[in-house]
Amino acid sequence: MNAFRLAGDMTHLLSIILLLHKIRAMKSCAGISLRTQELYVIVFVTRYVDLSMKYYSFYNSIMKIVFLGTSISIVWYMRYHKVVKQTYNKDVDTFRHIFLILPCFVLALLINRAFTVIEVLWTFSLYLEAVAILPQLVLLQRSRNIDNLTGNYVFLLGAYRAFYLLNWIYRFFIENHQVRWIPWLSGLLQTAIYADFFYYYIKSWKNREKLKLPA
Amino acid sequence: PSNGNVHDEL
């Protein structure tokens, strides 16, 4: 495993730790999109169906279990925890899941590496992950106050896929890996979706101002 | 090109 891949996984893990900290310690999920979190559960469940069938490494299995467990528990807290659920911005989190899930599923049926259940689900998970942040970004844009934890959470989540892009470049040129258009292009799209957010995040950080996205 | 298995990623 190269350093970019590890950095990607660690920023991903850190983003989840940050979000869980906000939920468990501050008892708040203000500014967090339940829609996006539910999409991540679907992403992990469909991508890691091979967990019980194929073993890659201890690291790989543990990380999969952590991502599955934490994403499900985040959704549980936001939906059912008696204090946390009251901080959820239900009225502004109105992005419809189906508008993302359905096109991604159709695309995965049409464009995939092999027409098998595992491959189609895996491809679907990549397409869906690429756009799963959209409800969260819409929610941030509608929020007057974005707290630091939420801003940092979204930033780390974006940084994660950016590191993966570097990892794929490294694997292609240094480790002589094959061309893999499906993860590369969906990963590129996923990172590009954050471009606007990155711009305002870095700007607010440089000027030591509170993060605010223009409506 | 070698193994190039992206399924080993997360």
Side-chain angles (χ1 to χ4, degrees), chain A residues 29 40 61 109 127 136 149 177 189:
Chain A
C29 65
Y40 283 137
S61 301
L109 287 174
Y127 295 156
Q136 178 64 64
L149 269 177
H177 279 214
L189 172 69

Side-chain angles (χ1 to χ4, degrees), chain A residues 90-211:
Chain A
K90 197 177 177 210
D91 301 334
V92 274
D93 190 25
T94 52
F95 204 106
R96 299 279 300 275
H97 301 88
I98 197 71
F99 291 137
L100 296 177
I101 295 171
L102 201 63
C104 287
F105 191 69
V106 172
L107 199 62
L109 287 174
L110 298 173
I111 305 173
N112 52 60
R113 207 158 60 96
F115 198 71
T116 63
V117 174
I118 295 271
E119 277 294 331
V120 170
L121 286 179
W122 181 76
T123 310
F124 165 71
S125 82
L126 284 170
Y127 295 156
L128 188 63
E129 187 189 352
V131 293
I133 196 65
L134 286 172
Q136 178 64 64
L137 291 176
V138 169
L139 178 55
L140 284 189
Q141 216 160 47
R142 290 173 176 173
S143 308
R144 304 243 161 262
N145 278 312
I146 305 170
D147 62 80
N148 286 337
L149 269 177
T150 306
N152 294 341
Y153 164 69
V154 176
F155 178 77
L156 287 170
L157 209 49
Y160 136 67
R161 221 43 174 179
F163 277 122
Y164 258 74
L165 293 180
L166 299 175
N167 154 55
W168 291 325
I169 293 169
Y170 183 91
R171 291 186 92 171
F172 181 73
F173 286 107
I174 312 290
E175 295 177 1
N176 257 335
H177 279 214
Q178 288 170 3
V179 176
R180 286 278 187 254
W181 290 115
I182 291 173
W184 290 0
L185 290 180
S186 37
L188 192 63
L189 172 69
Q190 186 175 343
T191 312
I193 287 174
Y194 285 86
D196 200 49
F197 174 84
F198 282 152
Y199 173 78
Y200 289 105
Y201 180 88
I202 292 167
K203 202 171 124 184
S204 76
W205 178 74
K206 273 169 111 178
N207 300 340
R208 296 172 195 284
E209 287 167 348
K210 245 188 122 46
L211 176 62

Side-chain angles (χ1 to χ4, degrees), chain A residues 20 23 41 68-79:
Chain A
L20 271 173
I23 287 174
V41 172
L68 276 169
T70 50
S71 64
I72 292 167
S73 75
I74 287 165
V75 167
W76 182 87
Y77 272 108
M78 292 184 72
R79 276 178 167 266

Side-chain angles (χ1 to χ4, degrees), chain A residues 60 119 167-168 171 176 180, chain B residues 1-2 4 6-10:
Chain A
N60 197 286
E119 277 294 331
N167 154 55
W168 291 325
R171 291 186 92 171
N176 257 335
R180 286 278 187 254
Chain B
S2 65
V6 286
H7 283 266
D8 65 357
E9 293 176 347
L10 295 164

